Amino acid sequence: MATVADIIRANHREIVRLWTVQAAKRAAARGLSQPEFANGISEFLSALAEAGEELGQFSGRRRELVDVHFASRLRQGFQLAEIVHEFALMGQIIASFWLGRPRQPQPDAGDVERLYSELQMTSAHLTEMFSRHMLEDEQADKQFRRRIQAIARESLHEDRPPLADRLRDLLEVVMEAMGAQSAALLLYDPRTEHLQTAASVGVGGEELGEYGATLNQSSEPTSILDAATTELDVSPSLRRSGVHALLGVQLPARYTLAGALYIGLSTSRGFDAREIRRIELLGEQLALHLDNARLVSDLVKHAEALRAERDLRERFVSVLAHDLRGPLSAAKSAAQVLLRSPQRRRELAMRIDRNIDRTDRMVQDLLDANRIRAGERLPLHIDECDLAAIAREVVEELIAVHGERFVLEADDEVVGFWSAEQLTRALWNLATNGVKYGAPDRPVTLTVAPTESGARASVHNHGSVISPDDQKKLFQPISRTRSLRSGQSPFRSIGSS
């Protein structure tokens, strides 16, 4: 009577061959060659034949070989059911050498029972190891998520680099979590309407990002077993980069963020559901923190805009309140004189009227500034008017307020279709600034002249030239030069305008 050990020894090579043919059908889908796939199985089969009375106890060398095989299969991306099936298949093939050959010596029932007990204990051991591995895997997922979260939280501090500058650090964590040799993060650029590589790390990371940017992203993971030999359209640089297996997933859509995460391996193999789940989890974490970083950045910008607007309003009110004192005080003084000197009624009434007009213009400027900030257009009443005549009226009014400090250089007529009201305001504002910020002992000159396409009006005062830094801010609302903010004399810091 033959034993199981005798049957294994006599048919060892054929058992390995049959097992490889049937089991390798699964391995082919993972890009494994038959020798690579069957590595270790022959040695385990020999250990079964040498077990003797210990067969059925799953101990010693056989247990060590199963542990090594299990670790190898996990690295190759196999699931538990696939690994268990391999040992069940081995039992079926061994049994076929006596079940299908009745004339051959048959092992006794006890010997067969010990073989199946050995294989059953092997399956139970594999299940236990896989459960332990999944628990460790879950703990590892938590660890990597915590590391990503720590980087994201740290980047929120004002004295630390923003998250956009730490993308490589995030990808280093992803690469470690996936056991990869390269990684790339791609983000959607709304200006170009294409994915752009935001960051890449590792060997071939840049080529990996370039390849991902050429793909039409879908909700399904993208994978290649071997970039060097695939028939897919892969760039020569990626084929030579050292990246073989690659896996990419689309980032979950959040806020305005869209993109993809890719990893690359230096070996050729497929990816199992566990690895796909992990990279999807990591991609979700990246998307969450990148989205939060964008929201924080937007909030900071909005807060800064609100502070700037508040400061602008405060400065505007401060300047307006200061400037309103002038015409109001002049009007009040004229009214008091009028009460005491009725004989000067006409002159004082005109002075009061002019100062009330000045006050009205200042209030109108404030209202117009608010309209502009609200996105409204200023009303313009266009009609034929004489710019030279408008300038003369402005100069006469300015002389009445500020004295004989103004010189007008203008043709008799400069006629065109403009808004007389807005031209009056513009010339008045420029000229009063010229007085306020110019040298007190020098004149302010207004020049009006026709041009080929219309007309030109300018105001010139004397004083130090405005610095280049302050010139950049000339058209900002309620802005003043540095010297004015520091309390220096205005005509020493403001020059021609």
Side-chain angles (χ1 to χ4, degrees), residues 102-123:
R103 296 184 180 181
Q104 297 292 328
Q106 303 289 308
D108 63 35
D111 204 16
V112 172
E113 184 178 352
R114 286 195 297 274
L115 171 65
Y116 284 116
S117 177
E118 178 85 17
L119 295 176
Q120 184 178 7
M121 293 176 70
T122 299
S123 298

Side-chain angles (χ1 to χ4, degrees), residues 208 211-212 215-225 232 245-250 260-263 271 276 279-280:
L208 188 64
Y211 172 72
L215 299 180
N216 293 322
Q217 296 300 310
S218 66
S219 58
E220 297 299 322
T222 300
S223 64
I224 292 181
L225 299 179
L232 298 176
L246 64 89
L247 174 64
V249 293
Q250 183 178 349
L261 175 64
Y262 279 83
I263 62 162
F271 297 90
I276 294 174
I279 193 173
E280 287 177 337

Side-chain angles (χ1 to χ4, degrees), residues 8 12 40-50 58 61-63 65-66 69 87 90 118-119 122:
I8 291 175
H12 183 280
I41 291 299
S42 176
E43 192 172 358
F44 177 77
L45 193 61
S46 298
L48 286 178
E50 296 169 1
F58 186 59
R61 177 65 174 160
R62 301 184 306 285
R63 190 184 187 99
L65 289 171
V66 168
H69 183 77
F87 290 93
M90 179 178 293
E118 178 85 17
L119 295 176
T122 299

Side-chain angles (χ1 to χ4, degrees), residues 141-150 152 163 170 173-174 251-252 254 257 261 278-292:
D141 285 344
K142 293 179 180 179
Q143 175 194 357
F144 291 121
R145 289 202 303 270
R146 284 196 299 269
R147 288 172 59 183
I148 290 175
Q149 186 177 18
L163 193 60
L170 293 174
V173 176
V174 171
L251 298 182
R254 292 180 178 274
L257 179 74
L261 175 64
R278 171 170 283 185
I279 193 173
E280 287 177 337
L281 179 64
L282 294 171
E284 183 177 355
Q285 286 287 303
L286 289 181
L288 172 64
H289 292 300
L290 288 171
D291 187 45
N292 287 343

Side-chain angles (χ1 to χ4, degrees), residues 4-20 38 40-50 65 90 93-94 97 101:
V4 170
D6 293 335
I7 294 174
I8 291 175
R9 291 190 189 97
N11 302 282
H12 183 280
R13 180 176 296 180
E14 183 64 11
I15 292 172
V16 172
R17 187 189 71 80
L18 291 173
W19 181 90
T20 302
I41 291 299
S42 176
E43 192 172 358
F44 177 77
L45 193 61
S46 298
L48 286 178
E50 296 169 1
L65 289 171
M90 179 178 293
I93 293 174
I94 293 173
F97 279 88
R101 305 173 187 183

Side-chain angles (χ1 to χ4, degrees), residues 382-398:
I382 307 298
D383 202 353
E384 185 177 33
C385 58
D386 182 358
L387 181 56
I390 292 172
R392 279 191 289 271
E393 292 177 3
V394 170
V395 168
E396 290 174 2
E397 188 173 348
L398 288 168

Side-chain angles (χ1 to χ4, degrees), residues 236-454:
S237 60
L238 181 59
R239 293 182 188 275
R240 297 190 302 264
S241 66
V243 173
H244 288 272
L246 64 89
L247 174 64
V249 293
Q250 183 178 349
L251 298 182
R254 292 180 178 274
Y255 188 42
T256 57
L257 179 74
L261 175 64
Y262 279 83
I263 62 162
L265 308 181
S266 59
T267 57
S268 302
R269 68 168 179 85
F271 297 90
D272 62 17
R274 177 187 62 86
E275 292 175 305
I276 294 174
R277 182 193 64 81
R278 171 170 283 185
I279 193 173
E280 287 177 337
L281 179 64
L282 294 171
E284 183 177 355
Q285 286 287 303
L286 289 181
L288 172 64
H289 292 300
L290 288 171
D291 187 45
N292 287 343
R294 286 194 177 188
L295 287 173
V296 169
S297 177
D298 289 346
L299 286 174
V300 169
K301 291 178 180 178
H302 185 60
E304 290 175 349
L306 289 176
R307 282 196 295 269
E309 183 174 358
R310 181 198 63 193
D311 293 343
L312 175 64
R313 290 182 182 276
E314 290 178 354
R315 292 200 306 272
F316 201 109
V317 171
S318 176
V319 171
L320 183 64
H322 177 272
D323 290 347
L324 280 174
R325 291 194 189 101
L328 290 176
S329 296
K332 183 177 181 180
S333 298
Q336 291 173 345
V337 173
L338 180 61
L339 291 175
R340 296 194 300 268
S341 304
Q343 65 276 14
R344 299 176 56 191
R345 181 176 301 171
R346 177 176 176 78
E347 173 191 351
L348 294 173
M350 291 178 62
R351 183 181 300 176
I352 292 172
D353 185 64
R354 284 196 300 268
N355 283 284
I356 291 175
D357 285 344
R358 288 175 59 196
T359 304
D360 180 68
R361 278 196 292 268
M362 292 179 186
V363 174
Q364 190 64 39
D365 286 343
L366 176 60
L367 294 175
D368 286 347
N370 285 333
R371 289 193 188 100
I372 292 172
R373 293 186 65 80
E376 299 179 10
R377 293 184 177 182
L378 296 182
L380 294 177
H381 303 288
I382 307 298
D383 202 353
E384 185 177 33
C385 58
D386 182 358
L387 181 56
I390 292 172
R392 279 191 289 271
E393 292 177 3
V394 170
V395 168
E396 290 174 2
E397 188 173 348
L398 288 168
I399 291 174
V401 175
H402 298 285
E404 300 288 342
R405 293 192 54 193
F406 299 91
V407 176
L408 175 62
E409 297 178 356
D411 293 355
D412 292 338
E413 288 187 349
V414 181
V415 179
F417 285 88
W418 303 300
S419 171
E421 179 184 359
Q422 299 303 328
L423 287 175
T424 300
R425 291 176 62 187
L427 289 173
W428 173 272
N429 288 335
L430 288 173
T432 51
N433 280 338
V435 172
K436 188 182 299 183
Y437 303 123
D441 56 347
R442 301 294 299 277
V444 176
T445 303
L446 283 74
T447 304
V448 175
T451 65
E452 292 182 0
S453 57

